Amino acid sequence: MNWTLAAPEIVLGCGAMALLMLGVFLRQDPFRQISWQAVAVLVVTIILVAETPAGGNAFGNIFVVDHFAQYMKILVLSASALSILLSLDYAEREQMARFEFPVLMLFATLGMLAMISANDLISLYLGLELQSLALYVVAAFHRDSVRSTEAGLKYFVLGALSSGMLVYGASMIYGFAGTTGFAGLATALTDAAAAPIGLIVGLVFLLAGLAFKVSAVPFHMWVPDVYEGSPTPVTAFFAAAPKIAAVALLTRVVVGPFGHLTADWQQVIVFISIASMVLGSVAGIAQRSIKRLMAYSSIGHIGYGLVGLAAGTAAGVRGLLIYMSIYVVMTLGTFGCILSMRRKGVMLEQISDLAGVSRSNPLFAAALALFMFSMAGIPPLAGFFGKLYIFLPAISAGLYTLAVIGVVTSVVGAYYYLRVIKVMYFDELKEGFEPSKGWEIPWIMALSALAILLFFILPGPLFSAAQAAATSLFGG
């Protein structure tokens, strides 16, 4: 048993349990101390992931480590660490500074790492549930807020429904294929024409459960309410790390064990991609809350990412990885701006609250405008290249309609991103925002803005890493 391949997960799990015990025994409020130690654990885990040799299996072939897993794990761990840093100032101001918060985020991240390396339907489900159980609590963590409690309850009920669908699909796949291992499934399904119809039905149920986790239409109904009701740092976490892990899992499932059934799963991916892009671009137009706007924006971005997956090629997966990496930077930077929207000690969430803020907070307005332009896909910002890298493989794969719909919905969605910029720069100033107490949020905003602005100068390292990750997934 080559357990050293799971060293990052073992260290992260032990670190989370150690911090849980430490938080219990420390007498004074240890929130900030535990939070920084949690970030340190995540940084150590990132180093271990990078140093772990790729190309091996562990625990009876249910756990796999390849370049794809390493790429997505580093992305998830980085998003989790930045989300914890974003939460420091907010949690202390809103009286929810309890040490269990960063510990729960660590346990959720551990589940995400298990999802990314899952090589069996059983390990897939275990990782998914470990992540979900922690996220249910985190969504309702601000227990004095009715909105937060409601968000947690909605997420729990709908999450349980999606888990049931996923397990039902997995049981059907096992019943017809006789194995739960991804390698065994790939071997059993080499002849696509001979695949039983019951197995195809099971695959559809499995994809439906995973579509909920990536918040793709028509399984998106939880996203706007949970994003709006959850504490804002939790919303930032939801929009970044769990979504990346779910996309990684979905990609591994369809490319690995079901790689020979491309014609069957491609139809499902194309449908949810188109539906997500259309709903994300149209429904966002009517939103007045910037958190709900970001909810519909995230649905649209998942639709764009799935365009690359629908191509079913290594180039398409490479585009998906690049797009999701850029998406994480844009999202965390934007939520850093949202967390800075505070006036007279009160958090603001309405787009109208941004009126004229370019005059009182010019750097804030410039950063948020940069993120909005990038999400709209305006060149030469990173968001433009992200969309370019997913549309080109779709065109090469003959998915012309999908690519055209993606371009059209990008134009439609640009309206609500540009509306935010218009409110900041052309509406009458109400009142400026209070400066952040800590340095964490301004630094995250600044670094994210620089990464988005200067991506076109040095895209090589990200492109090369994504290429290696995609190639490893296809057996290269």
Side-chain angles (χ1 to χ4, degrees):
M1 183 185 294
N2 193 4
W3 63 269
T4 55
L5 291 175
E9 286 77 8
I10 294 171
V11 168
L12 181 57
C14 291
M17 289 187 284
L19 291 181
L20 180 61
M21 297 299 294
L22 181 64
V24 170
F25 288 110
L26 287 175
R27 295 192 176 185
Q28 295 181 342
D29 180 14
F31 169 74
R32 186 169 280 267
Q33 177 183 344
I34 296 294
S35 295
W36 276 106
Q37 290 169 343
V39 172
V41 169
L42 290 169
V43 171
V44 171
T45 308
I46 290 174
I47 296 171
L48 287 173
V49 168
E51 294 298 322
T52 302
N57 299 297
F59 309 113
N61 208 29
I62 67 170
F63 186 92
V64 63
V65 175
D66 52 16
H67 290 298
F68 176 80
Q70 290 179 316
Y71 183 101
M72 298 306 269
K73 284 181 182 179
I74 290 173
L75 197 55
V76 163
L77 290 164
S78 302
S80 299
L82 292 173
S83 298
I84 292 176
L85 293 178
L86 284 174
S87 71
L88 294 177
D89 185 36
Y90 179 95
E92 290 173 342
R93 287 179 184 252
E94 300 295 324
Q95 286 78 52
M96 52 173 277
R98 293 185 287 277
F99 75 89
E100 295 90 347
F101 184 74
V103 173
L104 283 167
M105 293 177 79
L106 288 185
F107 281 121
T109 306
L110 176 61
M112 295 172 210
L113 300 194
M115 288 165 58
I116 293 170
S117 280
N119 200 37
D120 188 283
L121 293 175
I122 295 174
S123 58
L124 174 158
Y125 182 69
L126 288 175
L128 199 64
E129 286 305 295
L130 176 57
Q131 172 208 259
S132 298
L133 289 172
L135 293 182
Y136 297 149
V137 182
V138 169
F141 198 81
H142 198 185
R143 58 191 179 194
D144 297 329
S145 166
V146 175
R147 291 171 61 197
S148 180
T149 307
E150 179 187 354
L153 183 60
K154 285 181 178 178
Y155 188 48
F156 170 71
V157 172
L158 294 172
L161 174 64
S162 75
S163 294
M165 295 173 68
L166 187 143
V167 171
Y168 182 66
S171 66
M172 290 190 70
I173 292 169
Y174 172 66
F176 282 95
T179 180
T180 57
F182 287 0
L185 286 170
T187 302
L189 301 175
T190 50
D191 186 3
I197 187 65
L199 189 143
I200 303 300
V201 174
L203 173 60
V204 171
F205 273 101
L206 185 71
L207 292 178
L210 294 176
F212 175 91
K213 300 301 179 184
V214 300
S215 66
V217 177
F219 306 99
H220 67 286
M221 66 290 291
W222 61 275
V223 180
D225 291 337
V226 172
Y227 274 42
E228 185 178 30
S230 298
T232 305
V234 175
T235 307
F237 183 57
F238 272 42
K243 191 158 291 190
I244 297 300
V247 167
L249 181 58
L250 176 62
T251 304
R252 187 181 291 282
V253 166
V254 297
V255 170
F258 301 104
H260 297 289
L261 302 180
T262 303
D264 297 297
W265 59 256
Q266 188 181 57
Q267 302 172 52
V268 179
I269 299 298
V270 167
F271 170 76
I272 63 176
S273 174
I274 292 174
S276 299
M277 289 188 294
V278 171
L279 183 117
S281 61
V282 174
I285 293 174
Q287 302 308 313
R288 296 293 175 264
S289 165
I290 194 163
K291 287 173 71 175
R292 288 186 77 88
L293 178 68
M294 289 301 296
Y296 285 106
S297 171
S298 74
I299 294 170
H301 283 298
I302 283 298
Y304 296 123
L306 292 178
V307 171
L309 181 57
T313 62
V317 172
R318 180 195 65 200
L320 169 63
L321 299 183
I322 294 173
Y323 190 85
M324 296 312 295
S325 304
I326 293 170
Y327 164 78
V328 166
V329 177
M330 293 189 300
T331 299
L332 291 176
T334 302
F335 274 101
C337 294
I338 295 172
L339 285 163
S340 301
M341 292 172 59
R342 184 181 292 273
R343 191 179 290 146
K344 298 179 180 177
V346 178
M347 283 294 302
L348 305 174
E349 296 178 2
Q350 299 301 307
I351 296 174
S352 58
D353 294 319
L354 292 165
V357 77
S358 61
R359 300 175 184 82
S360 59
N361 303 79
L363 292 178
F364 165 90
L368 184 54
L370 194 67
F371 298 133
M372 293 294 106
F373 276 130
S374 183
M375 287 188 176
I378 306 298
L381 302 178
F384 167 77
F385 292 99
K387 290 182 178 177
L388 182 67
Y389 286 135
I390 57 169
F391 288 147
L392 290 180
I395 294 170
S396 300
L399 300 174
Y400 303 113
T401 302
L402 183 62
V404 169
I405 292 174
V407 173
V408 171
T409 53
S410 293
V411 175
V412 175
Y415 169 80
Y416 56 73
Y417 295 124
L418 297 178
R419 178 161 61 93
V420 173
I421 299 171
K422 174 260 179 188
V423 169
M424 289 193 299
Y425 280 90
F426 297 102
D427 285 10
E428 287 298 319
L429 174 65
K430 289 186 176 180
E431 189 177 347
F433 298 141
E434 298 174 3
S436 299
K437 283 186 176 180
W439 57 268
E440 298 89 0
I441 291 177
W443 271 99
I444 290 173
M445 288 168 54
L447 292 175
S448 300
L450 284 174
I452 294 299
L453 182 62
L454 303 179
F455 173 78
F456 73 97
I457 295 177
L458 195 64
L462 181 62
F463 189 90
S464 300
Q467 179 67 48
T471 303
S472 73
L473 195 62
F474 282 83

